[in-house]
Amino acid sequence: MLNLNYVAAQMQNMVEQLKVGGHDKGARLEKARSLLALNEPEFTNLKEKVAQSLNTSPFLLAGPVEPLYTHVPPISIPEDFSIIATDGSQIDVDRHQSTRCYLINIGQVRLDYGQKTEAKLESLPLLYAGDNDTVIASGHQVQMVEGPLLNLKRSVDECRHLKEMATELPTGQPALAVIDGSLIMWQLSGKEFPDFVVTELLDNGFMKYLDEMQALAQKQPLSLASYISFPRSVNVANTLRLLICPNNTADCSRHCGYKPVGQRPCDVLSGVQDQELFFELLVTGERSALFTSQAKIVREKYAGHAVHFFYLKLEDEIARVEIPQWIARDKQKLDLTHALIFDQCQRGNGYPVALSEAHEQAVVSASDRENFQQLLATWLADEHISSASSAKSSSKKTKWL
């Protein structure tokens, strides 16, 4: 049981610290904003410094594509267009049960606007069981699909179903395919999973479906984006640190490794978030300059789908919109993405209505999980298959006091 009286005193101290830090944060933010207005030679030098510092900077940088002070209003939306979106949730493997299986529930939404207005919303639950579905294997190496790996498997399934929906769109009609969250599969970027898992989920999965989406987009006005609400990204702010750095290359361990945090030259920008940078620069509906993600996994694995992003000003917040390279380099598709994402946010009270509906279709409630387990137990019992559970699981279901 949580002792709220004990927590309240700690909260008071936290609030006092936030008040003190807020004054310093304002000064750092003003400094960061003043660095956005670069002339052309300064902008060129910044791009070169980013490229030279990718392997030496401890900060994840953003590659500037357009001048930092760029702000672009949305174009008019087409008369007729479609929005497709997917979202997912899952019931993970219960390691306290003898039967290994998991469920991925995909919410699919298609919204047609214009002369023929129509909405198609559905939930597609997919049960995975057996050795072929519950593991990823390569030779004698085996990785169980559960926990964080199941989250990644769900992301691949979301992309697969989005691609399948895209194949059913009206030929020649503008459309936007959108998913929630990042296009970057961050959990595959570290050493948590072996190479054969990365190959299966990224190369043979996510990238394959992006390839197929790109092929469709070459034949019709189809755009693709992911949407991140209230982002905490600091990639652009980190890039501005390079303008403060007195060295040609930001080799931080070499030049500043002996200096404590707060005493490095670039620490005058510490704590500044990208959304804070652009909130005052942009007016509602405008997008920021384009940037490229310099994440290692993107540079090494994404090839022609290299992730670009821009920030979008809404009435009350800044959102981050990520797009693959083939959208970023096509002005018509870039403008269409910008306009339709903003239109969706206006229709959805600040959040894309298609994503909101896809989430509603995908969500698995606590009662759904309980009913799933009961249904599974019933089927196993009817077929006289053991469904033994661990003592810990049985204990949690027993009231002791």
Side-chain angles (χ1 to χ4, degrees), residues 183 207 210-211 214 298 302-308 323-326:
L183 288 176
M207 291 298 105
L210 289 185
D211 285 341
Q214 182 180 10
V298 172
Y302 276 60
H305 303 297
V307 176
H308 291 54
I323 52 178
Q325 177 176 286
W326 44 274

Side-chain angles (χ1 to χ4, degrees), residues 270-319:
S270 65
V272 173
Q273 295 182 0
D274 292 355
Q275 61 164 320
E276 297 168 322
L277 273 174
F278 293 108
F279 194 82
E280 297 297 332
L281 171 64
L282 306 175
V283 301
T284 300
E286 288 185 335
R287 73 162 175 87
S288 73
L290 268 178
F291 299 91
T292 58
S293 171
Q294 298 299 317
K296 185 177 180 181
I297 189 171
V298 172
R299 289 186 281 125
E300 293 181 351
K301 292 287 188 178
Y302 276 60
H305 303 297
V307 176
H308 291 54
F309 63 91
F310 60 82
Y311 290 99
L312 175 65
K313 174 68 181 292
L314 305 172
E315 186 173 346
D316 297 318
E317 73 162 311
I318 292 284

